[in-house]
Amino acid sequence: MKKSINNKKILYVIFLLLLIIIYIRHDNSALIGILLVEAFCSIHSSLFFLSPLSKVLADSNDDKKVFWNLFLTRVIILLVFNFISPIFIIIFDLALTFTGPICLVPLIAKIKNKNSKIEALSVPSSTEAVSQNNQILSSSIFTKKISASEKVLKCSKCLKEYTHGNKYCSICGMPLSDNIALNSNELKYDANSGQPFNKSEYPAYLFLGSYDCLDKFIKEKLSNPDYKNVSLVMVENKRNFVTFIYAIIMTILLVIYFSYHVLWAIYFYFLITFFYVVLYSSFNIKWHLIKEIKSRPLEKMDYVISSTLSGKLENNNKYKILRSLVLIFTFLLQLVLFYEPHLIYEKTDGGYAVRYYTLGIIKREKNLEIPASYKNEPVVSIRGNVFARVNQLETIVLPNTIKEIRGGAFLGCKNLRNINLPDGITEIKGNTFERCGSLEKIDIPDGVTRIGGSAFRECYNLEEVNIPKTVLEIGSSAFRDTRISKVCISKDAFVNERAFKNTSTNILYYENNCREIYNYDYYDNYNYSNIDNGSGSNYGY
């Protein structure tokens, strides 16, 4: 009891630590909401998902231990992934909170259905009886005691007694066989009679659960030296199929990562790899034998196993080599395609647009210069999110042939320090330079009429920005969370009330020569020729 209490205290401390870390990783203003969400998810998951799942996975006396292990696993996963993507893990936790119980319902129903079928069967007396009856049965069910001179036959499905010579059961219609005759020397007893029963006379695995009993029985058969280091065509084909699918998914995820620079592709890559290893390991001889035994319930298990293993492969090296070649080819293909960074273009009106920038696995670059032409035609556009989250870039040089830069083009380039904006662009669209934390200065060229929402949001080191008179609109959160102290714009420009939120920016105007206006500026512009200095009484106040 004391140990259980200590474990609970440890889990509570870990959960509290989780909330603190989530608080640190998020905006402070969202603390209450985050605490409520995590508290709700924890309570809801514990009551309607983790607790029922623990009862399914464990025995009746160990479900609490399994529950706390599941709870601890959930906390650790949240802690680890919170450092990578806090928003993603909260969304994932919410999705699991609601979908977990829904997915658990059919699993519980399926297990209950299997258990109800198992309880309707009788128990064999020995290993030979198991192979003859082809059923793995519960040891808690026994037949009644019979006399030495009596011979009783029972249906293997409904346990209805019948006499020798009947071909079909009168109750369930099951085909009958003399192989399931019960004699008095088998020493079977009524479970309610209270008479002693010597378990040592029977194999130990017969008194386990049905599926554990079947598992032990198959392992005993496979322990035969003749069946070691062998495989089956069906098993190898399954492993080949899983390997091919894994190679395709791995290729897709890596292409997404190198082209779109999103970390979730890497997370899913490792997750898919884990499931591949688990699934690959599950496809083995034991899995195939269990499948065969279930599909042939009227045949002896010994016969099912021996007939199935008669088609064994003495040498399955060619399958292993094939799978290894597939994985090696997939890796080499990725290495060749993404050995170094690449600019990928697409045809557009007036020339070509930069469509993708792929990362390099081995070779990387800090300085990038986009060419003015591609295939003898000008490069006129940069598509959205082309350089998003490319952290290794520090300097980018853009040609003046570019007329358009779409939203999010440089989103999250944390190390970007220097970039020039082409003279031909007319708009800086939303999120273009959002979260470029190393950017200190930006010169917006003449001709730009609009700066979109969140264009320079969270550029924490941005101190200087030159905005021309042509800019007539500055969108919401355009310069939010920056270090800009002052900026000069036209009086005709519309500035969203949140454009400079969380900054101490002083807005000046070109119409006032970009000067800060104080009370004494009135006297600097006053015509002192009209002041009577003779009396000393008129100072222009």
Side-chain angles (χ1 to χ4, degrees):
M1 182 66 181
K2 184 177 181 181
K3 184 178 180 181
S4 176
I5 293 175
N6 291 336
N7 290 339
K8 290 182 180 180
K9 288 182 178 179
I10 293 173
L11 290 175
Y12 290 147
V13 170
I14 294 176
F15 181 63
L16 180 61
L17 179 63
L18 168 67
L19 295 180
I20 294 174
I21 292 177
I22 291 178
Y23 164 65
I24 294 174
R25 291 279 293 163
H26 289 78
D27 187 1
N28 294 349
S29 61
L31 172 61
I32 297 178
I34 293 169
L35 291 177
L36 291 175
V37 169
E38 287 303 322
F40 170 77
C41 290
S42 298
I43 295 172
H44 191 280
S45 296
S46 299
L47 293 177
F48 302 106
F49 181 58
L50 298 182
S51 181
L53 182 61
S54 63
K55 293 179 181 179
V56 172
L57 298 177
D59 296 333
S60 59
N61 56 344
D62 289 335
D63 58 333
K64 291 184 178 180
K65 181 179 179 181
V66 175
F67 168 79
W68 287 112
N69 289 336
L70 291 174
F71 187 88
L72 179 61
T73 302
R74 173 180 174 272
V75 170
I76 292 175
I77 292 174
L78 292 178
L79 284 172
V80 171
F81 281 91
N82 182 71
F83 286 101
I84 301 173
S85 179
I87 299 298
F88 171 78
I89 196 59
I90 287 181
I91 295 174
F92 177 80
D93 197 22
L94 277 171
L96 183 63
T97 298
F98 290 101
T99 60
I102 298 174
C103 297
L104 189 62
V105 171
L107 176 62
I108 295 176
K110 185 176 181 181
I111 292 176
K112 288 182 177 179
N113 185 36
K114 287 183 178 180
N115 291 337
S116 63
K117 290 182 179 180
I118 292 169
E119 290 176 356
L121 303 176
S122 60
V123 174
S125 61
S126 64
T127 308
E128 182 62 22
V130 175
S131 63
Q132 291 177 346
N133 293 336
N134 191 27
Q135 300 290 347
I136 303 301
L137 309 169
S138 173
S139 61
S140 61
I141 305 174
F142 301 100
T143 59
K144 64 181 181 179
K145 184 178 180 182
I146 57 180
S147 64
S149 60
E150 185 180 5
K151 184 178 181 180
V152 179
L153 300 176
K154 286 194 174 185
C155 174
S156 61
K157 184 175 182 181
C158 65
L159 301 182
K160 173 67 177 177
E161 295 183 2
Y162 67 95
T163 59
H164 178 69
N166 291 354
K167 294 183 178 181
Y168 299 95
C169 178
S170 60
I171 301 299
C172 63
M174 183 76 175
L176 303 174
S177 173
D178 292 344
N179 291 331
I180 55 175
L182 302 177
N183 299 310
S184 59
N185 57 5
E186 291 180 292
L187 197 62
K188 288 184 175 289
Y189 294 86
D190 187 350
N192 298 321
S193 65
Q195 300 184 34
F197 184 83
N198 189 2
K199 284 188 176 182
S200 61
E201 298 178 4
Y202 301 89
Y205 60 78
L206 288 178
F207 300 95
L208 300 175
S210 300
Y211 293 98
D212 290 334
C213 181
L214 179 58
D215 181 71
K216 296 289 185 180
F217 179 76
I218 293 177
K219 285 183 178 179
E220 183 181 278
K221 293 297 181 182
L222 293 178
S223 63
N224 189 323
D226 294 337
Y227 298 140
K228 287 187 177 181
N229 300 322
V230 297
S231 188
L232 300 171
V233 175
M234 179 64 71
V235 173
E236 296 301 327
N237 288 338
K238 285 288 185 180
R239 289 182 170 181
N240 291 342
F241 177 77
V242 171
T243 301
F244 293 147
I245 296 299
Y246 169 69
I248 294 172
I249 296 176
M250 180 176 65
T251 301
I252 294 174
L253 289 175
L254 289 177
V255 168
I256 291 175
Y257 170 72
F258 288 117
S259 300
Y260 292 96
H261 330 122
V262 287
L263 284 177
W264 63 259
I266 296 297
Y267 306 153
F268 276 102
Y269 171 79
F270 287 110
L271 184 63
I272 293 298
T273 301
F274 170 76
F275 281 113
Y276 165 71
V277 173
V278 173
L279 197 58
Y280 182 91
S281 302
S282 66
F283 289 133
N284 49 37
I285 294 181
K286 187 177 72 173
W287 160 80
H288 186 64
L289 290 177
I290 292 175
K291 182 180 177 183
E292 286 295 313
I293 290 172
K294 290 180 178 179
S295 63
R296 298 155 65 178
L298 299 181
E299 300 180 33
K300 296 180 180 180
M301 287 200 298
D302 278 333
Y303 174 75
V304 173
I305 293 175
S306 60
S307 62
T308 302
L309 294 179
S310 63
K312 65 183 179 180
L313 293 171
E314 298 292 348
N315 187 358
N316 60 349
N317 289 333
K318 65 177 183 179
Y319 293 96
K320 293 181 179 179
I321 293 174
L322 176 63
R323 291 191 291 267
S324 300
L325 289 176
V326 169
L327 296 178
I328 292 173
F329 173 78
T330 303
F331 173 76
L332 292 178
L333 178 64
Q334 300 293 328
L335 187 62
V336 171
L337 292 176
F338 304 109
Y339 171 79
E340 60 182 2
H342 291 283
L343 286 171
I344 300 176
Y345 302 87
E346 70 175 0
K347 195 71 175 68
T348 187
D349 294 338
Y352 280 91
V354 179
R355 185 65 185 90
Y356 297 106
Y357 176 78
T358 63
L359 299 176
I361 298 177
I362 297 177
K363 186 178 179 180
R364 299 193 175 190
E365 54 189 1
K366 295 182 178 180
N367 303 319
L368 174 65
E369 182 176 357
I370 298 179
S373 62
Y374 178 73
K375 293 184 177 180
N376 298 323
E377 294 190 47
V379 177
V380 297
S381 174
I382 297 178
R383 299 299 193 207
N385 297 291
V386 170
F387 300 97
R389 298 169 292 274
V390 180
N391 294 328
Q392 66 262 30
L393 289 177
E394 296 181 1
T395 301
I396 299 177
V397 179
L398 303 178
N400 281 327
T401 56
I402 291 179
K403 307 298 181 182
E404 178 190 38
I405 300 177
R406 294 192 179 181
F410 305 96
L411 171 68
C413 293
K414 296 181 180 179
N415 294 317
L416 182 62
R417 299 179 182 274
N418 304 300
I419 187 171
N420 66 297
L421 295 179
D423 295 333
I425 63 174
T426 59
E427 179 182 1
I428 299 178
K429 296 188 177 182
N431 312 104
T432 301
F433 294 96
E434 183 179 356
R435 299 201 303 274
C436 293
S438 299
L439 195 64
E440 298 178 356
K441 179 182 177 181
I442 192 73
D443 292 323
I444 299 175
D446 291 335
V448 173
T449 60
R450 181 179 182 274
I451 300 175
S454 300
F456 296 91
R457 181 174 181 172
E458 297 182 16
C459 293
Y460 297 109
N461 290 309
L462 183 61
E463 296 181 344
E464 183 179 349
V465 57
N466 296 320
I467 302 177
K469 293 181 181 179
T470 55
V471 173
L472 299 178
E473 180 183 354
I474 300 177
S476 175
S477 301
F479 296 95
R480 183 175 182 173
D481 296 314
T482 61
R483 299 174 63 181
I484 299 174
S485 58
K486 63 180 179 180
V487 65
C488 189
I489 61 175
S490 172
K491 282 188 175 181
D492 295 331
F494 168 77
V495 181
N496 187 280
E497 60 182 2
R498 292 186 294 274
F500 295 90
K501 189 174 182 179
N502 297 338
T503 68
S504 56
T505 305
N506 185 18
I507 299 178
L508 310 178
Y509 299 99
Y510 284 104
E511 288 77 4
N512 293 329
N513 296 321
C514 296
R515 291 193 311 160
E516 297 184 18
I517 302 299
Y518 300 101
N519 289 335
Y520 56 79
D521 285 346
Y522 172 82
Y523 309 114
D524 291 341
N525 297 322
Y526 191 80
N527 187 356
Y528 288 101
S529 62
N530 295 328
I531 299 178
D532 182 9
N533 294 325
S535 61
S537 60
N538 189 355
Y539 294 98
Y541 287 97

